[in-house]
Amino acid sequence: MSGVGGQCWVGPASSAVPAALAALGADYTVAMDRPVATRRMWLDSIDLRLFHRGMALTAVENPVSGASMLELSLPDGATATAGPDALGWPRLLADLPDDLRPHLEPVLGVRALLPVVEASGTSVAGRVLDAEGKTVLRLVHDRPATLSTGRDPLPGRLWLIPLRGYDAVGQCAARIAQRVGLVPDTPSRYPAALRAAGVDPGGPPRAVMETGLPARVAVARVLLSFLGELEAAVYGTVDDVDIEFLHDLRVAVRRSRSAVKLLGDVLPPALVAWAVPELKLLGDLTTPSRDLDVLLQQLPTLTAGLAGGRREDVEPLVLHLAGLRADERRRLVIGLRSPRFERFRARWRSSLLALTTWDGQPRAGTIAAEVLVERLDRAHRRVLRHGSRITDASPAEDLHDLRKRVKELRYLLEVLPPPTDPADARVAIKELKALQDVLGTFQDSEAQREALCALGTDLMSADAVSVRTIFAMGEMAARLQEDQDTSRARFAAVFERFSQRSVQRQTADPGRRRAAPVTAVAGAAR
Amino acid sequence: MKVVATYNIKGGVGKTSTAVNLAWFGARDGLRTLLWDLDPQGSATYMFRVKPKVKGGGSALLTGKRTLDDGIKGTDFDRLDLMPADFSYRNLDLDLDSTKRPTDRIRRLLTPLRKEYDLVVLDCPPSVSLVSENVVHACDVLLVPLIPAMLSVRTYDQLIDFVDTMPGRKPQVMGFLSMVDSRKKAHREFTDRLPNDHASVVPEAIPSRVVIEQMAEERAPVPVFAPASSATTAYEALWTRVRSRLTEPA
Ligand SMILES: Nc1ncnc2c1ncn2[C@@H]1O[C@H](COP(=O)(O)OP(=O)(O)OP(=O)(O)O)[C@@H](O)[C@H]1O
Ligand SMILES: [Mg+2]
């Protein structure tokens, strides 16, 4: 009935589609239109969230107007369209057309859409006609397209779109297609386009310690892949594509810092002495921007519960925060573009590279596995020790400190190779995650409450605010305080569960008393 | 799903030309449209180059042996489908008479297609019959082409009376002037006066044009082969009026 629907066919060789058209022409009258140039862009988040959900979003450019039609194919095969659309990319959820937003929101979250692959080529529409000159089958031949980033072209394909009431012709054409070697293809070309463009949808593999290597080589290699993650997040942070880039960058920095702190003794001391303050500086550079991102992100939740629903009261705060964020971002961008950061990247990379080569000869120095197991064990015991000292009377600082220890343990676990016995190990990571959540909420709600106080002081001293705004902020602060109190109250039970699990592991395997808790949590790192 | 029928007791007044062009505009505007050619002469079917043949004929449809779904054909145009005519439709009246609730059959045959089409256009044969009564029962807008002549006004008034006295669900009757020759003084006067005298006659008139006659040679709706013609403009204006009627809250 319409241009959508129908079956799409692809061939192993580029000659297969023309061969099918020739074969069709022998049996039927085939009328082909003039070829039209097509430009199609696939959009996705940097981590290909649409792809992983079985979705595809394309922008098909109109060669005359330059505007694009957006076409979203959903996992169930349905499509949603919007356009014409002339805004550029990358774009966040809020700037997407209304017809697409509900489908994309749960998948994208805060991530921006950006062009992933672009294909330009020509396509020709045609019709199979009966003796009366009536269309009884439609065709579209998408010729092989050139990709902006790829080595290979996107293969051509043939659409056979049967008309209602003319099924016999459609079936006959499908048989012809099969005869010349064409095979049915999925309607979405996104997977094929990614493949042809050489994009690996799996992304870079998680950095894992190669436990059989000398410790120094293994640690340097892990640090090198952290550096890769860090560098990959720089452009998106500088361009403010979405707030996850900065988050990814910070995670890479924190992982590096933890690794240097906990495993750095196997590296040359001079390198460590240089890297530690450099990494700290980088971490500090990113903190104010990230804090503001998080606060802005949280704001809708915080204001949702305001008494009387007076969200407009916090408008001055939102404006102020947006201004602060712009200032902080400027500082951040300057830092990330500075010669110092360039020098750091270059030196860190070359120093690590120099350490990663290994001639395969057994050398003085320990094997990574031994170091890792020992450090894990130590980090684990440190968490248990710090945690068990915490009472209801402990100052908040002690909990913040414990959070740091827990994070260190997590980062160590993350570089462990996949466990041999995942079944019983997974339980421990669940407890560790719960502990992290409680400590995270505890600290973040405190930090945000303090941030609100500081912001309130700013606003008041600038005389830029009504008392209503301050009241609303007070309500929000009270909410945060509640969150903090709740997590504090939950801490004891959550920690108890974590430490009990650890004890269980120890008693279950008395022969390896010290290593046991490590394997217990370790396996779960996957 | 909205149903529009072009209807007039009189033959050759422009029912088929109007049905074909309006259906085409509906589909162009994004409506999933079905044109059902109820006339055994099959003029609308011919216009879309479809064979005037329905398996089992009209009686198979009425007895439920076949559904409309089995007979519908895709046209050359996006979103526009056709239910072809069949020569056996000339007996449709007799066939209808032998069914239960004979004035309700067409409406009931359309019911299963409710989700599939936004617009159905019925092109009726010229007559007063059970078929036409069925059509009146089935449609939301009854579109009546009127030749600018005294006699056609009289039959139009009769039709309005008939619809008024009809029990149950009633369509809106919408008259429009058809085949208007503006060189004729009488035509001009009619065109000016009729919409004023008759509230149900709309001001959008279809002029008498050669391109409309050419539809039979081109075998296509006017906007397809003469997009810039005044006939295209006139049909589009009439369609716009019909569409707004259809979307008006009842
Ligand atoms: N506005 C017009 N200008 C010129 N010719 C027209 C116009 N409308 C219709 N015609 C021609 O008049 C003849 C009858 O038109 P049409 O078939 O549309 O009327 P009809 O009411 O459906 O006829 P029937 O009652 O036979 O089904 C056709 O040859 C058609 O081309
Ligand atoms: Mg007719």
Side-chain angles (χ1 to χ4, degrees):
Chain A
M1 179 163 67
S2 73
V4 290
Q7 177 62 57
C8 192
W9 299 80
V10 283
S14 59
S15 59
V17 173
L21 286 172
L24 266 175
D27 291 1
Y28 295 98
T29 310
V30 178
M32 297 303 279
D33 294 344
R34 294 241 310 260
V36 284
T38 56
R39 255 187 56 182
R40 181 179 287 268
M41 194 154 81
W42 279 271
L43 298 146
D44 207 333
S45 63
I46 190 75
D47 51 0
L48 307 185
R49 291 182 181 195
L50 299 190
F51 175 83
H52 291 296
R53 290 290 189 90
M55 299 164 88
L57 177 65
T58 56
V60 181
E61 194 184 87
N62 181 320
V64 183
S65 69
S68 294
M69 290 305 294
L70 301 180
E71 204 180 294
L72 175 67
S73 61
L74 300 165
D76 62 2
T79 54
T81 54
D85 179 277
L87 297 171
W89 307 95
R91 232 190 282 169
L92 292 168
L93 202 60
D95 304 320
L96 296 176
D98 291 343
D99 293 338
L100 303 184
R101 212 180 304 124
H103 300 291
L104 293 171
E105 179 159 15
V107 181
L108 283 181
V110 299
R111 292 242 77 149
L113 285 175
L114 36 103
V116 180
V117 199
E118 204 178 311
S120 35
T122 53
S123 90
V124 199
R127 289 161 322 252
V128 171
L129 307 173
D130 69 5
E132 303 285 304
K134 176 174 189 322
T135 306
V136 288
L137 176 77
R138 294 188 201 197
L139 340 151
V140 177
H141 177 197
D142 292 328
R143 291 176 175 165
T146 324
L147 297 179
S148 52
T149 45
R151 311 162 300 230
D152 307 326
L154 184 62
R157 63 178 186 170
L158 179 67
W159 283 93
L160 296 178
I161 307 149
L163 246 75
R164 184 166 189 168
Y166 299 93
D167 304 336
V169 188
Q171 283 154 13
C172 192
R175 277 197 297 276
I176 289 174
Q178 260 165 341
R179 206 176 62 214
V180 300
L182 292 177
V183 290
D185 190 23
T186 52
S188 169
R189 305 224 78 191
Y190 190 27
L194 285 179
R195 224 177 300 127
V199 177
D200 174 14
R206 181 165 70 89
V208 166
M209 280 264 251
E210 295 155 276
T211 44
L213 294 183
R216 172 176 285 194
V217 178
V219 170
R221 286 192 183 181
V222 163
L223 283 169
L224 206 54
S225 49
F226 290 159
L227 178 59
E229 289 166 18
L230 190 160
E231 287 175 328
V234 169
Y235 89 93
T237 306
V238 168
D239 290 354
D240 199 11
V241 170
D242 64 45
I243 63 171
E244 286 299 287
F245 280 93
L246 175 58
H247 178 63
D248 293 347
L249 192 151
R250 279 171 63 78
V251 170
V253 172
R254 269 201 257 114
R255 283 188 177 144
S256 309
R257 291 180 68 187
S258 291
V260 170
K261 180 175 171 194
L262 300 174
L263 304 161
D265 61 328
V266 303
L267 300 174
L271 180 62
V272 172
W274 167 79
V276 166
E278 287 291 325
L279 284 166
K280 176 170 182 341
L281 198 77
L282 191 52
D284 293 347
L285 175 68
T286 58
T287 302
S289 280
R290 174 63 188 169
D291 286 351
L292 286 164
D293 283 350
V294 173
L295 190 55
L296 276 164
Q297 209 58 39
Q298 279 255 289
L299 223 47
T301 324
L302 285 173
T303 55
L306 284 182
R310 297 177 328 272
R311 280 196 213 190
E312 64 277 9
D313 288 359
V314 293
E315 243 349 273
L317 172 66
V318 176
L319 283 175
H320 184 59
L321 279 173
L324 286 178
R325 181 175 186 271
D327 294 346
E328 282 303 339
R329 277 200 44 78
R330 212 163 298 135
R331 222 173 56 85
L332 173 65
V333 168
I334 289 170
L336 290 178
R337 284 185 175 150
S338 66
R340 174 163 190 164
F341 180 57
E342 271 319 305
R343 277 198 304 272
F344 161 73
R345 265 159 73 165
R347 181 165 166 199
W348 190 220
R349 175 170 290 282
S350 60
S351 315
L352 291 172
L353 266 175
L355 298 173
T356 52
T357 43
W358 181 45
D359 51 15
Q361 296 301 311
R363 250 198 275 178
T366 37
I367 287 300
E370 293 167 32
V371 178
L372 193 56
V373 165
E374 191 246 337
R375 298 305 147 82
L376 265 171
D377 198 15
R378 211 196 292 169
H380 186 215
R381 276 183 287 120
R382 208 181 299 145
V383 168
L384 290 173
R385 195 169 59 241
H386 278 245
S388 63
R389 280 200 216 114
I390 289 172
T391 65
D392 287 347
S394 301
E397 274 316 309
D398 289 3
L399 284 103
H400 303 339
D401 200 52
L402 177 63
R403 186 190 186 191
K404 280 191 201 143
R405 304 286 87 77
V406 171
K407 272 190 183 167
E408 284 169 3
L409 177 58
R410 252 318 266 289
Y411 291 141
L412 273 182
L413 289 170
E414 278 171 1
V415 298
L416 269 192
T420 43
D421 184 11
D424 64 1
R426 208 171 299 137
V427 186
I429 201 85
K430 208 176 93 200
E431 268 75 42
L432 185 66
K433 274 185 181 153
L435 184 58
Q436 253 188 309
D437 282 349
V438 164
L439 291 169
T441 313
F442 180 79
Q443 185 171 22
D444 293 346
S445 38
E446 180 183 281
Q448 284 174 8
R449 194 163 38 81
E450 270 163 18
L452 280 181
C453 280
L455 289 161
T457 315
D458 281 1
L459 287 169
M460 272 163 57
S461 63
D463 237 359
V465 72
S466 81
V467 72
R468 286 179 171 283
T469 305
I470 301 296
F471 279 9
M473 289 169 71
E475 267 184 63
M476 286 153 64
R479 277 263 307 288
L480 288 163
Q481 177 76 64
E482 254 173 56
D483 289 349
Q484 196 185 4
D485 292 346
T486 314
S487 44
R488 171 107 204 195
R490 285 183 51 218
F491 169 78
V494 171
F495 182 77
E496 178 65 16
R497 227 170 297 140
F498 173 72
S499 61
Q500 240 171 29
R501 181 66 61 182
S502 306
V503 171
Q504 272 171 18
R505 298 303 311 158
Q506 288 180 12
T507 48
D509 197 358
R512 299 176 58 222
R513 207 192 63 79
R514 286 190 54 167
V518 172
T519 30
V521 271
R526 109 172 325 172
Chain B
M1 182 174 89
K2 298 286 184 183
V3 183
V4 177
T6 53
Y7 174 73
N8 197 320
I9 301 169
K10 276 177 64 93
V13 294
K15 296 185 291 292
T16 299
S17 309
T18 305
V20 165
N21 288 305
L22 259 48
W24 184 91
F25 275 112
R28 182 210 63 176
D29 283 1
L31 303 180
R32 296 163 302 161
T33 304
L34 174 68
L35 173 61
W36 186 357
D37 186 355
L38 285 161
D39 187 342
Q41 294 177 83
S43 314
T45 304
Y46 179 81
M47 229 81 97
F48 286 103
R49 301 170 192 256
V50 174
K51 291 195 186 74
K53 182 91 196 97
V54 176
K55 282 205 191 100
S59 60
L61 271 177
L62 295 178
T63 54
K65 276 209 200 83
R66 291 184 186 273
T67 61
L68 277 184
D69 201 54
D70 298 332
I72 293 174
K73 300 281 178 187
T75 69
D76 286 14
F77 309 102
D78 276 345
R79 292 178 295 276
L80 180 53
D81 288 352
L82 176 84
M83 179 62 196
D86 187 283
F87 196 54
S88 70
Y89 281 5
R90 70 193 187 284
N91 301 322
L92 216 51
D93 250 16
L94 288 174
D95 293 335
L96 278 165
D97 208 18
S98 62
T99 64
K100 278 187 280 174
R101 303 176 62 190
T103 59
D104 211 23
R105 285 309 296 178
I106 288 185
R107 196 159 75 95
R108 299 238 299 255
L109 281 169
L110 285 171
T111 314
L113 299 175
R114 240 179 1 221
K115 292 249 156 56
E116 213 171 318
Y117 292 101
D118 304 307
L119 175 68
V120 174
V121 180
L122 304 174
D123 184 28
C124 300
S127 65
V128 194
S129 62
L130 268 175
V131 178
S132 33
E133 237 182 290
N134 257 277
V135 165
V136 175
H137 277 282
C139 69
D140 300 285
V141 168
L142 190 66
L143 196 57
V144 187
L146 300 168
I147 308 280
M150 250 346 267
L151 221 56
S152 60
V153 179
R154 267 199 54 209
T155 44
Y156 182 62
D157 288 337
Q158 286 169 348
L159 176 65
I160 292 194
D161 284 345
F162 167 73
V163 172
D164 268 350
T165 55
M166 202 175 92
R169 192 175 171 276
K170 292 187 217 308
Q172 299 184 52
V173 180
M174 202 172 131
F176 70 96
L177 282 148
S178 175
M179 304 173 137
V180 176
D181 186 347
S182 55
R183 287 165 307 185
K184 294 186 181 150
K185 187 157 174 265
H187 279 205
R188 286 202 304 274
E189 283 172 6
F190 249 99
T191 321
D192 290 343
R193 219 182 53 222
L194 207 54
N196 287 326
D197 295 352
H198 282 70
S200 64
V201 175
V202 298
E204 289 77 13
I206 303 298
S208 176
R209 289 290 182 271
V210 178
V211 279
I212 297 178
E213 289 173 61
Q214 281 171 349
M215 283 171 68
E217 289 146 52
E218 299 283 345
R219 300 182 78 177
V222 176
V224 173
F225 64 90
S229 66
S230 59
T232 294
T233 315
Y235 279 123
E236 186 165 17
L238 181 61
W239 160 245
T240 306
R241 169 73 66 174
V242 172
R243 191 186 53 198
S244 69
R245 274 296 160 81
L246 290 172
T247 49
E248 261 168 28

